[in-house]
Amino acid sequence: MRWNEEDVNRLGKTYCYDNESDDSEYEDFWSSGAPEDDSKLQSKLSEGNLDKVINTRFVVTESEILFAMVKFTEKYFLPISALEDLSKMINNFVNSPVLRDSHYRFDQLLRSKDGLEYHAYCVECDAYIRQFYPNEKTVICKKCNNNISVKEKNFFVLINVDKELKNLVEKHGEYYISIVNNSERSQVFRDIYDGIKYKEFVKSLSLSERDLFLTCTFNTDGSLPFDYSTYSIWPIQIVANELPQQVRFDNPVTCALWFGRSKPNMEIFLKAFVQNINKINERTIPCKINGILKNIKIYPICCCVDTIARAPAQGLIQFNGRFGCNWCLHPGKSVKSEKKKL
């Protein structure tokens, strides 16, 4: 194999940036720039018999390789294109297409179809349409008779969160039991489960349900998928209140995602969220804690949103509009501020 000047420079820069070595021999070699003859580089690479063909038999499945690649790209925040390139590299090494190496095939493999519900809404009349399947391209709004393209991100997704919550509760079962059994609550306000409203909620439950509940705080807010994007994504996330603080805030669970060019219609979005939680509670979440099976229900008891999202979440006028106050019925008054002279 012959190396050209571009290869020498690229390898030299990679070595210098990724391996801080004090060896003067290598420093002199790379600092001298790309040599006219690459024989010196090839001699360095061949010192350890690096040109020897590897005939080792790999005893590994495709799924194991793919899992390792996914964990690698996840750790270093790499895009899906990195998975494609890694697959192509491995396929070239073994001289056989043992791994899928196209964006489409990775998308089909990694896109979860279990526990997802796709729902369309009308961008013309702002009405809920119906649930649809991923292979559908358009849906018809019965209210205004418009043909809406769901491929243009005019939909929202409901996500089944049973498994995530089950794993979190079972992993921290001792702490969960201590909270629901009232052993960690205090007269001092240290956490949400010390609050008056929280205690009132627990008392409202039947005696048989007072150790079979999981309360949560939910949040929603808009975010752009990338700079200068023409549409935004609004997630609904929940944190379980009966888990340790660090655990709950490090493990928010996404329940729903709204895609669109404008803010979500909260009457549609939050209604779907409530219906999704009710479905989960109908079947309950079976958690095994200390060898005992508990069928737990979820109760969203608190909503935490910023000022911009608070008004639509409550179904009110925005804070700077007429009758926009959350606490009183005063209509408010607009006052023009004078520009300060510098």
Side-chain angles (χ1 to χ4, degrees):
M1 179 176 65
R2 300 291 295 175
W3 294 69
N4 57 35
E5 183 176 343
E6 183 180 354
D7 293 327
V8 174
N9 282 329
R10 187 186 304 114
L11 182 58
K13 290 177 181 178
T14 302
Y15 178 84
C16 291
Y17 291 145
D18 294 345
N19 301 276
E20 297 180 1
S21 175
D22 295 331
D23 195 329
S24 59
E25 177 186 358
Y26 288 101
E27 290 180 359
D28 293 340
F29 175 73
W30 296 117
S31 61
S32 62
E36 295 181 1
D37 185 5
D38 61 358
S39 60
K40 189 174 182 180
L41 175 60
Q42 291 209 33
S43 65
K44 290 287 182 184
L45 295 175
S46 61
E47 284 179 358
N49 294 325
L50 297 179
D51 288 335
K52 183 180 178 181
V53 177
I54 301 174
N55 292 318
T56 304
R57 181 170 175 264
F58 292 92
V59 185
V60 64
T61 64
E62 180 185 2
S63 62
E64 290 172 334
I65 297 176
L66 290 173
F67 180 76
M69 290 166 55
V70 169
K71 294 299 291 183
F72 179 82
T73 55
E74 182 184 67
K75 179 178 180 180
Y76 294 103
F77 304 100
L78 301 178
I80 193 172
S81 58
L83 279 176
E84 299 174 40
D85 292 340
L86 282 172
S87 293
K88 291 175 182 177
M89 181 181 68
I90 294 173
N91 288 340
N92 286 332
F93 284 159
V94 299
N95 197 26
S96 176
V98 294
L99 298 177
R100 59 198 76 203
D101 56 7
S102 68
H103 187 97
Y104 172 78
R105 295 183 68 190
F106 271 115
D107 193 50
Q108 293 297 311
L109 174 68
L110 300 177
R111 179 184 292 176
S112 175
K113 297 181 180 179
D114 183 31
L116 297 180
E117 289 184 6
Y118 296 85
H119 297 260
Y121 63 89
C122 182
V123 293
E124 301 295 333
C125 65
D126 210 23
Y128 174 76
I129 302 177
R130 64 173 174 85
Q131 182 179 350
F132 68 95
Y133 296 97
N135 59 344
E136 295 184 75
K137 296 181 179 180
T138 60
V139 293
I140 298 176
C141 177
K142 294 182 179 179
K143 185 175 181 180
C144 62
N145 205 32
N146 273 313
N147 201 20
I148 304 299
S149 172
V150 292
K151 294 298 182 182
E152 295 181 2
K153 309 294 188 299
N154 301 315
F155 64 90
F156 62 90
V157 181
L158 298 179
I159 304 170
N160 187 2
V161 297
D162 295 38
K163 292 181 180 179
E164 287 83 356
L165 293 175
K166 171 184 171 70
N167 292 336
L168 287 172
V169 172
E170 289 183 344
K171 188 175 181 180
H172 304 277
E174 294 291 340
Y175 189 91
Y176 169 80
I177 291 297
S178 67
I179 298 300
V180 297
N181 287 342
N182 203 23
S183 60
E184 291 292 330
R185 297 180 204 167
S186 171
Q187 297 299 322
V188 180
F189 294 122
R190 298 176 303 180
D191 209 324
I192 187 171
Y193 43 72
D194 297 321
I196 296 173
K197 293 298 181 181
Y198 181 93
K199 295 175 180 178
E200 289 178 357
F201 162 76
V202 175
K203 289 182 180 178
S204 68
L205 297 174
S206 63
L207 292 176
S208 61
E209 293 181 334
R210 289 189 184 179
D211 62 343
L212 299 173
F213 68 90
L214 183 71
T215 68
C216 63
T217 300
F218 70 94
N219 163 268
T220 183
D221 195 6
S223 61
L224 297 177
F226 50 84
D227 292 339
Y228 309 111
S229 175
T230 57
Y231 72 95
S232 61
I233 301 174
W234 284 68
I236 295 180
Q237 295 178 305
I238 63 173
V239 292
N241 297 323
E242 286 75 26
L243 298 179
Q245 286 189 24
Q246 194 61 42
V247 173
R248 75 180 80 153
F249 295 129
D250 286 346
N251 297 274
V253 179
T254 302
C255 297
L257 290 168
W258 176 286
F259 300 88
R261 299 182 185 276
S262 60
K263 294 179 181 179
N265 182 333
M266 288 297 179
E267 185 176 351
I268 296 174
F269 197 31
L270 291 181
K271 182 179 179 180
F273 166 67
V274 171
Q275 291 174 343
N276 193 32
I277 295 295
N278 288 339
K279 287 181 182 178
I280 294 174
N281 285 343
E282 285 178 4
R283 59 180 179 267
T284 68
I285 302 176
C287 298
K288 200 168 186 178
I289 305 173
N290 295 335
I292 301 174
L293 182 64
K294 293 180 176 292
N295 295 315
I296 295 174
K297 293 184 179 181
I298 313 172
Y299 296 95
I301 62 171
C302 182
C303 177
C304 180
V305 292
D306 63 10
T307 305
I308 301 300
R310 186 180 302 122
Q314 292 181 316
L316 301 175
I317 301 296
Q318 191 164 290
F319 63 91
N320 57 352
R322 187 172 175 82
F323 291 100
C325 180
N326 298 76
W327 307 102
C328 71
L329 299 178
H330 194 282
K333 182 179 180 181
S334 298
V335 178
K336 293 184 178 180
S337 59
E338 297 181 0
K339 294 183 179 179
K340 294 183 180 180
K341 296 180 180 181
L342 300 177

